[in-house]
Amino acid sequence: MKLNANIFAAVHAFTSADQTRYYLHGVLIEPGGLLIATDGHALFVAQDHTATGLPSEPVIISADKALLTAARNRKAGNIIFPDGYNGAATVTDDTDQAMGAGISRVIDGTFPDWRRVVPTDSGALPTTLDGAILRRVSDAIKTITQRKTQPLHFGATTDSAQTIVFPHFEHAFAVICAMREESGARYCDPSYMARREALGKE
């Protein structure tokens, strides 16, 4: 399988480090080229239209630090994963010359139904959003577009989650869960959410 290196690295930044939620330690890759990751507080989704050799069934793949460092490089072109996605993966530049490598592995687990937490209609604005997560979203889209400045557009919302879309890269979006001001806890109430199919139909 071959994926855009910058997109994979940007999405991977939203994986979880919580050891009890091991199935969130990697990026969910769907057959249509969607890459999804969440740590339970924020969700990032992007579509890689240049991907080849995609799996026939969704698979969760994590990457080590060396692979992610190479994938974030401005000159990075693609990541070439080994058969079965476990083992040495190579990052190439735009001329298909190797420029880095690392280890990828498949995570055997069930990824949550991420579409349920994506707002589709405008509603009451969330009371509070975490500024640190907004910065992570900004950094992620900068990794993909390689632009020094990246506008963020506030899209569909509910009183418990906010969608962020990107004028310079229409094939990605993020969802940030609201923060409770009194405790700092973040929450996404599934009763307010609905499915979003738009990115999966292209």
Side-chain angles (χ1 to χ4, degrees):
M1 177 175 63
K2 181 187 292 187
L3 297 177
N4 179 286
N6 289 161
I7 291 178
F8 181 85
V11 176
H12 200 286
F14 288 83
T15 58
S16 174
D18 185 345
Q19 295 303 312
T20 66
R21 306 176 78 184
Y22 67 93
Y23 47 87
L24 299 183
H25 291 184
V27 174
L28 176 67
I29 300 171
E30 296 189 345
L34 283 181
L35 280 65
I36 306 102
T38 181
D39 59 4
H41 306 305
L43 169 80
F44 199 93
V45 181
Q47 188 158 29
D48 184 355
H49 288 287
T50 67
T52 59
L54 289 164
S56 58
E57 298 290 338
V59 61
I60 306 171
I61 298 178
S62 68
D64 69 2
K65 183 177 180 179
L67 187 60
L68 292 172
T69 298
R72 283 192 294 265
N73 191 297
R74 291 176 62 88
K75 296 181 180 179
N78 296 296
I79 299 178
I80 301 175
F81 293 90
D83 292 342
Y85 319 121
N86 283 308
T90 302
V91 176
T92 63
D93 61 19
D94 289 334
T95 65
D96 289 331
Q97 296 298 308
M99 57 175 292
I103 302 298
S104 65
R105 68 182 183 90
V106 173
I107 296 175
D108 185 12
T110 301
F111 203 86
D113 182 5
W114 61 270
R115 288 177 172 86
R116 291 188 61 222
V117 297
V118 180
T120 58
D121 299 307
S122 293
L125 289 174
T127 304
T128 306
L129 295 177
D130 189 333
I133 294 180
L134 279 171
R135 286 192 293 272
R136 287 173 57 203
V137 171
S138 178
D139 288 345
I141 199 62
K142 287 177 185 178
T143 297
I144 294 174
T145 63
Q146 297 298 325
R147 297 171 64 98
K148 290 184 178 179
T149 59
Q150 177 63 59
L152 306 178
H153 178 75
F154 283 58
T157 184
T158 69
D159 62 359
S160 62
Q162 173 69 59
T163 303
I164 310 293
V165 295
F166 314 108
H168 296 303
F169 190 77
E170 62 182 6
H171 304 298
F173 68 90
V175 177
I176 301 177
C177 297
M179 174 183 285
R180 295 187 188 276
E181 294 185 44
E182 65 275 13
S183 65
R186 302 173 190 86
Y187 64 99
C188 281
D189 184 350
S191 67
Y192 288 99
M193 308 304 177
R195 294 174 63 86
R196 173 171 173 151
E197 303 290 351
L199 280 181
K201 292 181 178 178
E202 297 184 85

